[in-house]
Amino acid sequence: MKKNKGEKMNTGHSGKTINVVIAGVGGQGSITSGQIAARAAMLHGTEVAMSEVHGMAQRGGSVMSTVRYGSNQSPVIPMGEADFLLGFESLEALRYSPYLRSSGVAIVSDQRIIPTIEALKKATYPTNIFAELKIQTKSAIFLPALEIAAEIGNPRLIGSVLLGAFSAFMDFSASIWKQAITDIVPHATIERNLQAFRAGYEFTIDADVLSAEKPVTVNDSVFITA
Amino acid sequence: MSCRALLLILDVDNMSATGKKGFQPTFNQTKKGSDRLDEAFPSTNSPRLLSGNEAIARAAWEAGVHVACGYPGTPSTEILETLSQYRQVKCEWSTNEKVAMEIAIGASFAGARTLVTMKHVGLNVAADPFFSAAYTGVNGGLVIISADDPGMHSSQNEQDNRLLAAAARIPILEPSSSQEARDFVIAAFDISEKFDLPVLVRTTTRIAHGKTSVKTAGRANIPLRRYQKQPSKNILLPSVSQRKHKRIETVQMPLLKQQAVRWIQTFEGDSNLAFVTSGASFNYVREAFPDASVMKLGMTYPLPEPEILAFAKGRKRLIAVEELEPFLQQEIAALGIDIEGKNLLPRYGELSVDIIRDSVVPGARPKAVPSTNSLPLPPRPPVMCAGCSHRGTFYPLKQLNAIVAGDVGCYTLGALAPLEAIDCSINMGASISMAHGMEKVLDESESKRLVAVIGDSTFFHSGITALIDVIYNDAHTTTIILDNHTSAMTGHQPHPGSGVSINGDVAKKVDIEALCRSLGVASVRRSNPYDLIGTFKIIDEELHRDGASVIIADAPCTLKAKQRFGEPLILETQQCTKCFACTRIGCPAIELEERQLRINPLLCVACGHCSQVCSNCNTGLDIPLILELMHQKRYREAFSVILQESPFPAISARVCPHPCEKEVNALGQLQGKNRAKRYPELLKEFPQSENPNSISIHAIERFLGDYGIVNIAGEEFAPAHVRRGSVAIVGSGPAGLSAAWHLRRNGFQVTVFDSNEKPGGMLRYGIPEFRLPRDILDAEIERLFSIGIKFLCGKVLGNDLQLEELKVQFDAVILAIGETSPKEIALQGARNIEEGLSDGLAFLHRYNSGDAVPISGSVAIIGGGNTAMDCARCARRLGAKATIYYRRGKKDMHAYSSEIEKASREGVEFKFWSTPTRLLSKDAAVSGLVMAKTRPGTLRQLFEISTEEFTIQVGHVIIAIGEQADLDLLTDLGVANKHGMDVNFMGATPDSGVFGCGDAAFCHGTVTQAIATGKRAAESVKTFLQENNVLNAPMPDKE
C-alpha cells in the first residue's frame, strides 16, 4: 500500500536536482547503498551524479557520500540543500545534518557506534540525537535498521533496509530497485538484500510515516513528521 | 535564462570517434573474452556511471594505449587498477613516480601511446624527467595524469600542478566531469602526437572520485609507431636542448595556442557578472550563479588569448574561479584584463558552491542555511584498524620515549593519540634521511633514542637511497621497516616486495632483508609486532648498538589478509581494575560504555596487543616493561616507569591489594605463568608468599619504591619547562596528589589545598602507621614538594576556600575531596568518642593524628571492610578488646584477606551474621548494644534481619560501614548527581574548568584506583587548558 503518492519525489523530470547525503562509519557499506541508489536512477533514465570517499577514510572513520538525481555534473551538495539524509549511524547522521534542507527528510538507523576513547575524551556521545534532528528538518525517521537486518541474517544489510525506507519517498518502480540491487550487491546476497529492502519499505509505509502528524511509537521506534 | 554553448567542440564524436584533426581511429573488433571490463560493459550508446578515474582508464584503453604505469596515490590510484583489467594494455605499478615517468617516456620513444598516473606530490618525485620531457617530445602519445587534492582529503600538502606543467612547458587539460575526463584523455593523445609534446591532464579529488554518466566507445586500432634512433631529438645535450627549447617557445606553443580555442565553452548570461573557470570549479560556479556569463576553459595552458580578451570586453565584473593558485587569474591579468579572483576566494582548500556564493556577492545568500549543530560532537577520525600490526611497533617506541622520524602511509596514524609515537613526517621516503640529519645534531642521550620508521612500499619508493647514505656516511640510525607486504593506505596495491604484479600474477619478490644486508647494514633483524615486549627488546638493543641497523617488523596487513588470530577477546568486567592501561594501544575495538570498557566482538581479531598491555593493576602500571627492566637490572629506569603512572610506589606496594598478581588478567592472558617463564631469576628473587610459582609484583614495586627513596632525588622528576596554566587541587589524598604530580610533571603550576594540618588525606589520617610507616609516607610526599608543587594546608572548602574564587584565581580546579560522610545506619546516638560512639574514619583520624583516644575495655566494631580492620587493630593497640560484628559471613567481607588475617592474629574477634539495632547507655556513656541476628537473603537481598535479638556489653562502638560523598557539599558546589560528583570517565564535570577524581567522583575505591583517577583528571585538565588556549598565552614573569 503506497500512500501519498502525490508527495513523492519526482526524479529528474522537473529540471531540479534531488540531493541525497549518505552518512555513516567506514566499513558499514554506505558507499554500496549510494551505488544502488545511483544505479536505480540510471535504470530509470534519470541523470545522476555520486561521490565516494577513498584514501584515508578507511574503516572506522566518519564517511559521507552523496547521490544527486537530475545532475550529470557535480555530485557535491551545498550545505542546507540535501533533500534526504540517509544515516547509517545516529551520531554520523547528526554530524552531517546541516546538509539537510529544513524541508528535507532524515532517514536514520538508530544504531549507535561508540567512537574511540580518545574521541570520547573530547566530547560525549549525544543522548538526544533524535530531538536534535527533529529541530533541523521537517521529517525525521528513526528505524531499527540493525535489528531488522540482523533478523534477516546479516547486520551488513542495514543499507538495504535504509534504501527500502528511502524508496517510499521516491517514484522509482519496485522492479527498478530490484534490478539496481541485483546489479550491485554480490550475487550470493541478492535475495537477502531484497528482503531487507522490502522490510525497510514496509516498515516505513506501515508506520504511516508519510502522513503522520504526531509522534507515534512503533516497535520502539519513533516517527515524527512535523 | 539564456544558456548557450557558443563553441562546443567537445562532443564525443568529434574528439574520439570521427575526429577531424589527426586523430582518425578505427575500431577493431575485439575478440570476445579478451577484455574483462568490456565484456561487463559492452560498448553501447547507453551511458554508464563512472568515476573520473574509471573514465580515464576507459579512455586510455579506447585511445589505444599500450603501456601504462604509475605509483599508487590518492586520488589517482583507481586509474591503473581499472586499466590493468584490460589485458591489451601493459600495466605496472612502478617503484616510484620518477621511475614511472621514465618508463612512460621510454615507451613513448619506442612508439607506444603511454599513460602515466600519480597524485600531485608524485609529480614532485617525477619532476626531473617531467621538466625535460617537453624538450624531447614524444613518439607515441604521452599523457600524464596529475590528481591534485585541494582540501587535503588524503595528502600532506595541497599544490596546484598547473604551475609545474606550465613551468615544464607542457599543455594542461582540466576536465569537469567523468565524461570530460574520458573525452579529454582521448583528445590528449591526439594533441600529444600532433604537437610532439607530453600532455598533462589535471584532475582533482572531486573529479577523480565523483561518479557521473559517461558515453563510451570501443578500442581504437592505433598501431605502434615505428621506433627510430633520433639523437637530435632524444639526447638532451646542451646543443640539442638549446634548439629544442627555442622550438617550444617559438613554434609549438604558438601553434598550441591557436587550437586552444577548441576547448572553450561559453555560457552567455548576465553580462555584468562573468566568470572564467575550469575543472570542478566550473560546476560550482554554474550552480552558485546560474544566470551569470561563464567561460569554461578545458585547456588551461596555453590559453586562447584573443577569445579571452573578447569575452572580457565590457564586463562590469570578471572573476577567475579556480582551486588553489591564481593560475588563470595571473595569466589573464597579464593580458591587461581587469580580473578578480584570489582577492575574493581562498587560495587554500577546496572551493564549493557555498564559498563561491558568499565570496562573490557577500551577504546575498539565496537561502537561509540551517544552523549547525549546537552540540559538541565526538570526532570520528580514521584510526589504525583493530589488530593492525603497526600498533605493535609504535607502542614499544612510546615505551622507549623514542624520537621517531616518520614517513607516509597508514602508519602515520601512529602520530595520533594515544600512541603519539611520531615526531615528524613530511614526504615519501623522508624518514631515514631526516633521522640521519637529526643524528648529526642531537646530543648522545637524544640520538640514542632516534629511530626512522618507514613502510615497505615507501622504503622501495624512496627509502633505499637514504639508507645507502646512512651506510656511506657511517651513521648509527636505527631504521624500522614496517613490512605489511602491501601498499595498505591506498587500498592494498602490490609492490616489489609483495610477489604479485598489478594483474595479480606471480611476480619476482625483492627481499628487503637481503637488500639491507647487501648494503652493509651492521645489523638486520626481524621483529614480531604482535609480541610487544619482544619488539621492545629488539628496538632497545638496536638503539644501543653502534652502527646502522634495520629492524623489519614483519606481519601482513590484517585488513588485507582478513586475519583473525582466534575468537574475539572478552574483557572480564568483574576483574577489570578500570586502570585504562589497555586503552594506551589505541585499538578501536576497545569501547567505553557507561564507564566500563568492553571489547567489540565485531572488530576484535584477537591480536592480543591489549591482553599483553593489561596488567590487571589498579594504577595501570606498565608491569611487563617494569619486569623487563628489572631483569636487566635497570632499576632507575624501572622506577621512572612507575613514576609515569604514580608518585607512590613505596606506598602502593604496602597498601594495594595487588590484583596484578592474579594468574589470569582481565583480558584472559595467563600473565602469572608467562612472567615466571620469561623471568625465572625474578621468580627466585621475588616469589609470591602464597604462590611461589608466581612473581610477586608488589614485592618488586616495594623494592623499586624503597630504592627510589634512597637513591633517586625527587628533583630529577621536576619539569624541564614550566608552562602557562595554573591548577588548584582541593584535597591531598592519593587522588589529589596523583593529579598534582602528573600536572606538575607536565609543567603546570599546581597548588594543593587540604583541610588537615599535613598533606596525605586518607594515607595519613585513615591508614594506621603499622600498615603504612610514616617515614615512607613522608618521603614519597616529599617528592611532590621537590618537583615544585605548592601546598596550602588547613583550608576547608566552603569555609576558607570558595570554589567560585578558585575558578577565578586558577585556570582549572580539581576536586579530590573524598568520601567523608559516614553511611547511615539505624542506630540513634551522637557520635562522640568520649561518650563511646564513633565513626570509623573519625576514630582513625584521631588515632593517626597522635591525639589521645579514650578507649579501653570492650570495643565493638561494626563493618567488614579495611576501615573496620584498621579500627579493630588500632583498638587492640590502645589495649582494648576488639570484636568485629559483620552482618554477613566471613567470605563476604570486603577487607583484603591479608588484613583480616593480620587482625585475627592480633587478637581481634569476629562475629558474623548480626547487625546492631539499639544502643544502650548509662550515665551518658555507651554501655552496650542490642544486636539482631541476620541470615542470608533471598533473591536480591544480601541478608535478612531476623527478630531474634541479643545484647552485648561494650564501652565503645565504632561504626565502620563505609562512607559516601558529601552530597550537600557537592550540591552547593553545583557538581552533584545522585551518587556523588557528576563527572565523565575522564573526571570532567559539567562545570567547565572544574574536574573531579578519587572517591568523591568515582565512588569507593582503593588507594591505587584513586591514583589512577587522579592521573586521568590531570590528562583531562591538560586537554582543557590546551583547548582553551591557556597554554599559548604569554608566560607570567614569575611563577
Side-chain angles (χ1 to χ4, degrees):
Chain A
M1 77 177 177
K2 280 201 175 186
K3 296 200 174 182
N4 296 19
K5 197 149 190 158
E7 280 182 22
K8 290 203 159 205
M9 288 286 181
N10 194 343
T11 34
H13 303 301
S14 60
K16 166 183 164 299
T17 60
I18 294 171
N19 301 330
V20 185
V21 165
I22 306 176
V25 176
Q28 275 192 302
S30 60
I31 286 177
T32 307
S33 294
Q35 285 169 343
I36 295 169
R39 181 76 190 145
M42 299 291 285
L43 294 167
H44 185 258
T46 300
E47 287 284 18
V48 66
M50 71 171 291
S51 76
E52 295 177 0
V53 195
H54 296 239
M56 281 290 256
Q58 282 281 354
R59 294 155 70 95
S62 163
V63 181
M64 188 268 254
S65 57
T66 61
V67 176
R68 230 173 169 194
Y69 296 113
S71 164
N72 187 29
Q73 286 295 120
S74 169
V76 182
I77 297 172
M79 282 286 175
E81 294 190 16
D83 301 285
F84 293 95
L85 170 67
L86 299 191
F88 278 60
E89 196 273 348
S90 304
L91 169 62
E92 295 312 312
L94 184 58
R95 193 187 310 283
Y96 292 103
S97 62
Y99 278 93
L100 269 178
R101 296 181 199 281
S102 50
S103 61
V105 179
I107 301 168
V108 179
S109 164
D110 63 6
Q111 187 185 358
R112 290 154 50 99
I113 298 177
I114 307 296
T116 61
I117 288 148
E118 291 304 316
L120 292 177
K121 286 178 183 175
K122 298 193 174 109
T124 49
Y125 195 108
T127 49
N128 50 351
I129 288 179
F130 182 65
E132 285 288 321
L133 280 173
K134 209 186 93 191
I135 290 168
Q136 297 186 30
T137 182
K138 186 183 100 182
S139 304
I141 302 168
F142 258 34
L143 67 167
L146 182 64
E147 217 173 284
I148 295 174
E151 230 164 75
I152 295 169
N154 190 338
R156 299 183 63 85
L157 296 168
I158 50 175
S160 288
V161 177
L162 289 170
L163 279 179
F166 171 61
S167 75
F169 295 87
M170 301 294 291
D171 70 351
F172 299 145
S173 70
S175 64
I176 280 182
W177 283 112
K178 189 175 175 184
Q179 188 62 46
I181 290 170
T182 308
D183 288 351
I184 302 291
V185 305
H187 189 76
T189 68
I190 291 172
E191 262 318 303
R192 277 186 296 177
N193 272 287
L194 290 174
Q195 237 180 304
F197 181 87
R198 198 172 303 124
Y201 172 79
E202 280 168 3
F203 195 91
T204 309
I205 293 296
D206 289 350
D208 222 4
V209 179
L210 305 185
S211 59
E213 284 174 13
K214 288 178 187 167
V216 289
T217 304
V218 183
N219 297 351
D220 298 320
S221 288
V222 182
F223 295 90
I224 291 184
T225 48
Chain B
M1 185 194 78
S2 80
C3 174
R4 190 157 55 92
L6 287 183
L7 268 162
L8 180 55
I9 308 218
L10 295 175
D11 63 276
V12 180
D13 288 339
N14 220 357
M15 299 307 291
S16 61
T18 60
K20 290 161 197 158
K21 300 184 179 177
F23 183 49
Q24 297 282 348
T26 55
F27 297 111
N28 65 351
Q29 299 296 316
T30 44
K31 273 185 286 177
K32 273 204 164 172
S34 66
D35 161 5
R36 282 181 258 161
L37 263 203
D38 208 47
E39 209 172 72
F41 292 103
S43 305
T44 63
N45 281 331
S46 65
R48 64 186 73 166
L49 198 62
L50 296 181
S51 69
N53 283 343
E54 289 166 338
I56 289 169
R58 174 73 192 190
W61 177 81
E62 286 183 31
V65 160
H66 277 98
V67 176
C69 51
Y71 184 80
T74 313
S76 72
T77 315
E78 298 80 13
I79 301 173
L80 281 192
E81 287 193 321
T82 308
L83 191 51
S84 68
Q85 297 179 50
Y86 292 95
R87 287 281 173 159
Q88 293 129 316
V89 183
K90 288 178 182 160
C91 282
E92 72 159 56
W93 285 127
S94 309
T95 37
N96 67 31
E97 293 87 352
K98 176 176 178 286
V99 171
M101 186 73 73
E102 291 153 353
I103 291 167
I105 290 171
S108 163
F109 283 174
R113 286 194 159 190
T114 304
L115 184 79
V116 55
T117 72
M118 58 200 64
K119 71 181 292 176
H120 60 286
V121 283
L123 194 61
N124 303 340
V125 178
D128 197 357
F130 179 73
F131 268 74
S132 302
Y135 285 31
T136 60
V138 304
N139 184 18
L142 172 56
V143 174
I144 300 147
I145 310 290
S146 163
D148 293 5
D149 187 17
M152 294 172 280
H153 295 270
S154 184
S155 301
Q156 76 233 30
N157 76 350
E158 43 187 359
Q159 69 182 43
D160 188 336
N161 277 354
R162 296 179 302 177
L163 294 178
L164 266 73
R169 318 308 287 142
I170 287 174
I172 306 165
L173 303 180
E174 286 191 76
S176 297
S177 65
S178 296
Q179 182 70 59
E180 283 192 353
R182 175 211 172 255
D183 298 344
F184 283 20
V185 167
I186 290 172
F189 283 102
D190 177 21
I191 295 172
S192 173
E193 288 173 357
K194 187 172 177 201
F195 294 90
D196 191 17
L197 285 170
V199 175
L200 181 126
V201 177
R202 183 219 191 196
T203 66
T204 54
T205 305
R206 297 296 178 179
I207 302 301
H209 286 166
K211 285 194 168 183
T212 52
S213 65
V214 180
K215 284 182 179 160
T216 58
R219 181 167 165 92
N221 185 11
I222 309 282
L224 292 175
R225 293 188 170 198
R226 196 164 63 85
Y227 174 71
Q228 267 183 300
K229 183 168 178 173
Q230 291 179 285
S232 62
K233 177 170 160 61
N234 293 340
I235 301 176
L236 292 184
L237 287 166
S239 58
V240 176
S241 298
Q242 284 154 9
R243 194 168 40 74
K244 299 287 274 190
H245 191 192
K246 186 177 172 191
R247 180 171 168 258
I248 290 171
E249 303 303 339
T250 58
V251 180
Q252 288 163 292
M253 280 296 156
L255 280 173
L256 259 172
K257 271 187 195 175
Q258 282 176 21
Q259 68 80 57
V261 64
R262 300 171 67 224
W263 299 85
I264 303 172
Q265 238 182 314
T266 309
F267 301 84
E268 214 33 83
D270 179 356
S271 65
N272 290 327
L273 183 61
F275 295 93
V276 180
T277 183
S278 64
S281 305
F282 162 72
N283 300 323
Y284 306 147
V285 168
R286 290 285 292 156
E287 198 169 336
F289 293 100
D291 299 332
S293 297
V294 178
M295 174 178 261
K296 173 188 182 297
L297 298 170
M299 178 179 274
T300 47
Y301 196 82
L303 290 178
E305 291 166 5
E307 286 73 20
I308 292 174
L309 282 163
F311 178 78
K313 205 169 180 184
R315 303 289 183 187
K316 202 169 167 191
R317 290 184 80 185
L318 180 66
I319 303 163
V321 179
E322 52 195 322
E323 285 177 325
L324 303 181
E325 296 301 315
F327 182 77
L328 298 174
Q329 187 187 355
Q330 284 174 354
E331 290 277 328
I332 293 169
L335 301 174
I337 294 170
D338 198 8
I339 187 163
E340 300 173 83
K342 293 297 166 182
N343 54 323
L344 306 171
L345 295 155
R347 199 169 173 160
Y348 52 85
E350 284 190 298
L351 293 182
S352 67
V353 174
D354 298 309
I355 292 172
I356 294 168
R357 265 183 204 151
D358 292 347
S359 310
V360 171
V361 188
R365 238 176 144 71
K367 292 174 193 119
V369 167
S371 62
T372 49
N373 295 315
S374 48
L375 284 172
L377 301 182
R380 207 189 294 268
V383 287
M384 284 194 273
C385 304
C388 177
S389 60
H390 298 331
R391 206 170 271 120
T393 300
F394 285 118
Y395 184 76
L397 284 171
K398 186 167 192 187
Q399 287 176 314
L400 284 157
N401 192 23
I403 297 172
V404 178
D407 224 299
V408 180
C410 289
Y411 49 91
T412 316
L413 293 170
L416 305 181
L419 290 165
E420 293 171 321
I422 292 179
D423 288 54
C424 50
S425 166
I426 295 192
N427 63 299
M428 290 285 289
S431 54
I432 301 173
S433 12
M434 284 195 297
H436 179 36
M438 290 163 91
E439 188 192 325
K440 289 173 184 289
V441 182
L442 296 177
D443 67 34
E444 206 197 324
S445 70
E446 291 165 327
S447 67
K448 278 279 178 224
R449 293 187 282 130
L450 192 57
V451 178
V453 172
I454 186 167
D456 45 354
S457 187
T458 311
F459 178 70
F460 286 118
H461 177 281
S462 48
I464 295 172
T465 43
L467 187 59
I468 292 171
D469 195 282
V470 163
I471 302 300
Y472 169 56
N473 289 300
D474 198 21
H476 302 281
T477 313
T478 300
T479 299
I480 301 176
I481 300 173
L482 301 169
D483 185 5
N484 62 1
H485 314 170
T486 187
S487 312
M489 179 157 169
T490 43
H492 302 123
Q493 291 72 34
H495 61 62
S498 301
V500 181
S501 78
I502 190 170
N503 302 310
D505 301 336
V506 175
K508 285 226 171 65
K509 197 170 174 174
V510 177
D511 181 340
I512 296 178
E513 186 178 338
L515 174 69
C516 293
R517 285 191 198 288
S518 76
L519 295 179
V521 177
S523 164
V524 183
R525 296 172 71 176
R526 284 180 183 272
S527 66
N528 171 11
Y530 292 105
D531 173 6
L532 294 178
I533 210 73
T535 302
F536 172 91
K537 279 168 72 172
I538 290 174
I539 301 174
D540 187 46
E541 282 164 23
E542 294 307 318
L543 283 176
H544 288 90
R545 182 191 297 278
D546 278 341
S549 52
V550 167
I551 300 163
I552 302 168
D554 187 0
C557 171
T558 343
L559 184 59
K560 176 159 195 280
K562 295 192 166 57
Q563 220 169 357
R564 286 199 172 269
F565 297 82
E567 289 301 308
L569 299 186
I570 293 165
L571 192 150
E572 288 296 340
T573 49
Q574 288 299 310
Q575 207 180 323
C576 174
T577 55
K578 301 192 181 182
C579 69
F580 283 67
C582 56
T583 68
R584 283 183 213 141
I585 58 168
C587 177
I590 302 176
E591 294 180 342
L592 179 77
E593 212 161 357
E594 306 290 319
R595 288 198 191 170
Q596 177 59 58
L597 295 167
R598 68 175 203 114
I599 307 272
N600 181 335
L602 297 175
L603 294 180
C604 178
V605 302
C607 73
H609 279 149
C610 59
S611 63
Q612 292 171 60
V613 170
C614 172
S615 298
N616 232 57
C617 165
N618 278 334
T619 328
L621 295 189
D622 189 345
I623 292 172
L625 181 55
I626 293 166
L627 291 176
E628 177 60 31
L629 292 170
M630 279 296 291
H631 163 70
Q632 298 187 28
K633 304 208 183 312
R634 289 154 71 173
Y635 302 138
R636 188 169 272 270
E637 286 165 78
F639 179 73
S640 301
V641 170
I642 298 180
L643 263 57
Q644 281 171 18
E645 305 302 326
S646 155
F648 304 132
I651 295 173
S652 305
R654 288 169 170 85
V655 300
C656 177
H658 33 85
C660 55
E661 294 183 358
K662 288 216 166 110
E663 279 300 298
V664 182
N665 70 21
L667 282 155
Q669 207 197 42
L670 303 171
Q671 57 180 13
K673 210 165 141 191
N674 291 351
R675 288 167 182 164
K677 203 169 137 194
R678 205 188 270 266
Y679 306 111
E681 88 290 352
L682 289 179
L683 177 64
K684 222 165 145 190
E685 204 176 338
F686 301 100
Q688 289 179 16
S689 51
E690 285 160 25
N691 178 7
N693 293 322
S694 276
I695 297 173
S696 168
I697 304 300
H698 87 281
I700 288 177
E701 189 183 18
R702 185 168 172 161
F703 166 82
L704 286 171
D706 294 353
Y707 176 90
I709 289 174
V710 175
N711 295 297
I712 303 174
E715 284 79 3
E716 283 187 28
F717 298 93
H721 306 285
V722 177
R723 25 192 338 197
R724 191 87 176 76
S726 61
V727 186
I729 295 171
V730 184
S732 71
L737 293 179
S738 163
W741 170 257
H742 291 292
L743 284 166
R744 181 61 188 172
R745 288 202 71 193
N746 270 291
F748 297 107
Q749 298 152 68
V750 182
T751 310
V752 179
F753 299 90
D754 198 280
S755 58
N756 287 308
E757 197 185 322
K758 285 180 168 184
M762 281 292 285
L763 296 172
R764 188 179 297 280
Y765 297 102
I767 300 173
E769 188 175 4
F770 53 82
R771 276 180 63 201
L772 178 57
R774 290 304 180 252
D775 55 338
I776 297 289
L777 176 65
D778 288 335
E780 294 219 306
I781 289 182
E782 181 57 34
R783 194 175 287 134
L784 279 86
F785 281 91
S786 62
I787 66 167
I789 295 168
K790 283 186 207 155
F791 287 89
L792 288 173
C793 290
K795 305 281 182 192
V796 178
L797 187 62
N799 294 346
D800 315 293
L801 294 174
Q802 301 301 333
L803 180 59
E804 286 310 312
E805 285 171 20
L806 290 175
K807 280 166 71 178
V808 173
Q809 287 165 19
F810 293 87
D811 295 316
V813 182
I814 296 179
L815 299 174
I817 52 183
E819 290 179 313
T820 50
S821 301
K823 279 190 184 155
E824 294 295 318
I825 186 169
L827 203 59
Q828 300 298 316
R831 308 288 199 263
N832 184 332
I833 293 180
E834 274 71 22
E835 289 170 13
L837 179 63
S838 55
D839 287 313
L841 276 193
F843 169 78
L844 287 174
H845 191 287
R846 184 138 163 186
Y847 178 86
N848 290 328
S849 301
D851 297 343
V853 190
I855 271 188
S856 57
S858 287
V859 179
I861 296 108
I862 313 299
N866 286 323
T867 306
M869 301 306 139
D870 285 345
C871 290
R873 294 174 70 193
C874 290
R876 290 290 298 137
R877 278 163 178 73
L878 291 166
K881 179 178 182 296
T883 309
I884 285 176
Y885 291 89
Y886 185 54
R887 59 190 184 172
R888 294 165 66 201
K890 184 172 182 180
K891 64 179 189 336
D892 300 321
M893 287 196 292
H894 292 301
Y896 310 152
S897 54
S898 58
E899 293 303 312
I900 297 169
E901 198 188 308
K902 280 177 197 160
S904 179
R905 223 185 293 138
E906 290 174 7
V908 176
E909 289 192 16
F910 290 86
K911 302 273 191 231
F912 299 107
W913 299 112
S914 56
T915 191
T917 55
R918 254 182 0 266
L919 202 62
L920 302 175
S921 56
K922 200 170 136 192
D923 303 336
V926 169
S927 63
L929 207 50
V930 179
M931 305 289 293
K933 287 200 170 174
T934 58
R935 54 174 177 256
T938 50
L939 293 171
R940 284 182 197 157
Q941 293 255 293
L942 293 173
F943 66 97
E944 284 173 4
I945 301 174
S946 74
T947 49
E948 197 181 330
E949 291 191 337
F950 61 96
T951 304
I952 51 171
Q953 306 295 321
V954 286
H956 204 103
V957 176
I958 299 172
I959 299 162
I961 57 165
E963 300 77 33
Q964 58 192 15
D966 185 343
L967 285 175
D968 292 341
L969 175 63
L970 292 174
T971 307
D972 287 348
L973 298 173
V975 291
N977 66 11
K978 268 184 266 174
H979 315 287
M981 209 186 293
D982 186 6
V983 289
N984 71 1
F985 72 105
M986 290 298 287
T989 71
D991 189 358
S992 172
V994 179
F995 302 81
C997 59
D999 287 353
F1002 293 94
C1003 299
H1004 196 68
T1006 63
V1007 166
T1008 40
Q1009 280 169 338
I1011 292 171
T1013 67
K1015 186 184 178 191
R1016 282 212 298 283
E1019 248 180 79
S1020 204
V1021 167
K1022 191 177 150 195
T1023 311
F1024 169 78
L1025 295 178
Q1026 262 158 0
E1027 281 175 9
N1028 286 279
N1029 277 324
V1030 171
L1031 312 189
N1032 297 336
M1035 266 295 289
D1037 290 341
K1038 278 182 190 169
E1039 194 189 326

